[in-house]
Amino acid sequence: MRSRRLLILLALAVLALPMLYGLAALGLGLLPAPHREPQAGQPTVSIYLISNGWHVWAALPARGPTGQDQTDWSNWLGGSALAARISDADYVAFGWGDRDFYLATRRPVDFRPDLAMAALLGRGPAAMHVMRVPETALAAPQLRTRRIEVDTLQYHALAAYIQAGFAPGRDGRPQPLPEPGFGLDDVFYEATGRYSPFRTCNEWIGAGLRAAGLKAGWWTPFPYGLMRGP
């Protein structure tokens, strides 16, 4: 009898964990972390969050705000075919996640439970997915985006966070992976960290927004904590 009760309690605990996770993600995702508006009187630049419904990328202008610390992403990403295709009129989108899951799940039908479980357990290294996005494409009706106006300090804080997510090679530059991207305008790179239920691809973006003083939920394992506007 006692063993049966223990099994029932264990089963209830296992069933309760996803519910508790979902409630925590909902509550903390909808609760904005401290953030600020761009400094009054300072020039601003538009950045975008792009979502496909389950994953979010942060898209920054190919050339950041002018000045001594201007970020030129085509130069910084040098060494890949993608870098040569980036023009000043483009945006560059960054997404982080588990490498094996990223590379093997190119379409919804490619989803494999074993890869998803391995990602949740943090068994493999991470990868950075980098995409060239023409500015005109950001207005496409089928693309879900959130536009954010940022000042120079906010931009450089977010850019520095993204750059720190790349695992540099011996030359100190980002390392493209040999596996192909989804098309001509994207490349996978070596990345730092490991995926987990608490540091998901979307939470990686959320942490960057919070570090830059931009609006995001306290914890954002799912897109809704990121894509909500002002």
Side-chain angles (χ1 to χ4, degrees):
M1 181 67 69
R2 181 177 298 178
S3 60
R4 182 179 179 183
R5 289 179 179 176
L6 288 175
L7 288 174
I8 293 174
L9 290 174
L10 180 60
L12 291 174
V14 170
L15 292 174
L17 285 176
M19 182 179 297
L20 293 174
Y21 182 93
L23 289 173
L26 178 62
L28 295 175
L30 296 178
L31 183 64
H35 57 282
R36 67 174 178 84
E37 296 299 320
Q39 293 182 350
Q42 296 295 316
T44 62
V45 61
S46 298
I47 67 169
Y48 291 83
L49 301 183
I50 303 172
S51 175
N52 62 3
W54 57 276
H55 181 87
V56 176
W57 292 260
L60 281 65
R63 288 184 182 270
T66 58
Q68 184 177 1
D69 297 327
Q70 182 183 35
T71 304
D72 182 341
W73 290 109
S74 63
N75 180 61
W76 195 83
L77 293 167
S80 71
L82 173 66
R85 293 175 55 84
I86 297 173
S87 73
D88 291 352
D90 293 330
Y91 272 68
V92 183
F94 303 89
W96 176 93
D98 180 81
R99 182 195 298 177
D100 291 340
F101 188 84
Y102 245 147
L103 296 175
T105 312
R106 297 175 178 268
R107 302 167 301 167
V109 295
D110 296 329
F111 177 83
R112 286 171 44 191
D114 60 326
L115 286 176
M117 183 58 67
L120 289 173
L121 295 175
R123 290 181 177 176
M128 189 75 72
H129 187 214
V130 181
M131 300 187 296
R132 168 185 169 267
V133 184
E135 186 174 10
T136 53
L138 292 167
Q142 69 272 20
L143 197 63
R144 186 184 179 195
T145 62
R146 172 188 164 198
R147 179 178 174 177
I148 309 174
E149 292 296 314
V150 303
D151 61 33
T152 300
L153 290 176
Q154 291 170 321
Y155 176 91
H156 286 306
L158 180 58
Y161 173 85
I162 291 172
Q163 290 174 340
F166 287 79
R170 293 182 180 179
D171 60 355
R173 304 295 297 273
Q175 304 177 79
L177 293 174
E179 292 84 358
F182 299 150
L184 294 176
D185 286 334
D186 70 309
V187 172
F188 287 100
Y189 287 82
E190 299 275 6
T192 59
R194 289 183 182 272
Y195 189 100
S196 78
F198 304 101
R199 188 171 176 79
T200 67
C201 51
N202 298 309
E203 169 55 17
W204 183 84
I205 294 287
L209 296 181
R210 294 191 296 269
L214 303 173
K215 185 178 179 181
W218 278 96
W219 182 49
T220 57
F222 301 116
Y224 57 74
L226 300 169
M227 300 305 293
R228 294 172 66 244

